[in-house]
Amino acid sequence: MIERFPTPAALAAGVARHIVARASGATAGGGRFTIALSGGSTPRDVYGLLATEEFAGRVEWGLVHVFWSDERCVPPDDARSNYRMAKETLLDRVPIPGHQIHRIRGEDDPERAARAYEDELRALLDGGLDLALLGMGEDGHTASLFPGQTALLETACWVVTAQAPEGAIRRITLTPALLNASRHVTFMVSGAGKAARLEQVLQGPFIPGLLPAQAIRPGSGRLTWMIDEAAAGRLPGRYCGST
Ligand code: 6PG
């Protein structure tokens, strides 16, 4: 399903509402809500909104377990850390128990950290996540699943190491094996810079080795694309809603 929003601010509010709705559904009967947060810049405004009274008061934070879809292999206080971004924008501002924040240890040896994270996930999850939040890069990557990399072909492991093409930083990423087992997978894509690639991903030939976002196809779960009009610029139709 594709949900279109007129502006980046409307997109952020829409994603925040979406997260609250998924969390409410999962915790309604006292159950846990397991969510993997995305890194990058698009989610910052979403996390900031989630921390406001309007949204935070609607989430049972004592039942929420937070994970990450990927992490850069840097210390947790590094400006590039996805954990640090979520900590500053959201986690330090809501009453989530510290032991329910499951960060990827980017400061450790990447292989060891990936194995430890997989162990932690398998100990806590009885299948996929309730919600995996993902972004999409201009090259069609998602999480740290980059074009042409073997991580895309991983069918057994839930967590592997990866190499970002543009720099020396190693990454640790969830694989399609776990993402596609999740109950909800939601992409949030903003900006005209992504419009051409988004058209390829959504409407072009299926070539996940070159367009990793195409590898994310939940089996029984629900895939949602939440995009703003700038990112939707090459897609047919136009925004007709009111938000
Ligand atoms: C990361 C993210 C990455 C991100 C995309 C989109 O660690 O950088 O996991 O996959 O979601 O690159 O990033 P923007 O939202 O900043 O465009």
Side-chain angles (χ1 to χ4, degrees):
M1 178 174 75
I2 298 174
E3 290 190 47
R4 297 170 67 146
F5 298 86
T7 63
L11 170 63
V15 176
R17 287 194 298 273
H18 178 73
I19 294 169
V20 169
R22 303 289 74 77
S24 302
T27 61
R32 290 180 319 182
F33 175 59
T34 58
I35 179 173
L37 299 179
S38 173
S41 57
T42 303
R44 289 188 70 95
D45 291 346
V46 176
Y47 302 160
L49 272 178
L50 271 180
T52 63
E53 185 51 40
E54 178 191 354
F55 289 93
R58 292 154 51 188
V59 176
E60 291 280 350
W61 294 101
L63 296 174
V64 176
H65 285 256
V66 168
F67 301 87
W68 275 262
S69 57
D70 68 329
E71 185 56 281
R72 293 85 180 274
C73 294
V74 295
D77 59 355
D78 188 293
R80 297 163 294 182
S81 165
N82 289 338
Y83 162 77
R84 173 177 160 178
M85 186 270 277
K87 180 178 188 296
E88 291 174 346
T89 55
L90 173 60
L91 301 175
D92 282 349
R93 302 165 61 195
V94 294
I96 182 170
H99 68 277
Q100 293 176 199
I101 299 172
H102 308 279
R103 74 177 181 90
I104 300 171
R105 291 182 56 85
E107 68 274 30
D108 289 351
D109 167 76
E111 288 301 333
R112 186 166 357 109
R115 299 286 50 82
Y117 205 59
E118 174 136 2
D119 290 345
E120 188 167 0
L121 283 162
R122 289 187 182 274
L124 283 162
L125 300 185
D126 54 3
L129 294 148
D130 290 313
L131 174 60
L133 285 181
L134 296 173
M136 187 194 78
E138 292 190 9
D139 61 354
H141 83 261
T142 188
S144 286
L145 301 166
F146 294 98
Q149 293 200 7
T150 54
L152 279 166
L153 306 174
E154 180 55 52
T155 56
C157 292
W158 286 2
V159 186
V160 294
T161 61
Q163 181 70 47
E166 83 283 350
I169 294 183
R170 296 286 301 280
R171 306 270 194 111
I172 293 166
T173 186
L174 300 188
T175 66
L178 174 56
L179 294 168
N180 288 338
S182 297
R183 283 170 277 288
H184 291 270
V185 180
T186 299
F187 281 91
M188 48 190 140
V189 185
S190 174
K194 309 235 175 121
R197 195 68 70 189
L198 189 60
E199 179 192 33
Q200 285 183 318
V201 166
L202 295 179
Q203 304 196 320
F206 183 63
I207 41 177
L210 296 177
L211 297 172
Q214 290 185 332
I216 308 307
R217 304 197 298 176
S220 56
R222 184 184 185 116
L223 176 62
T224 304
W225 287 84
M226 302 183 86
I227 64 180
D228 64 18
E229 277 307 290
R234 300 278 289 266
L235 300 180
R238 63 183 175 81
Y239 171 72
C240 300
S242 57
T243 49

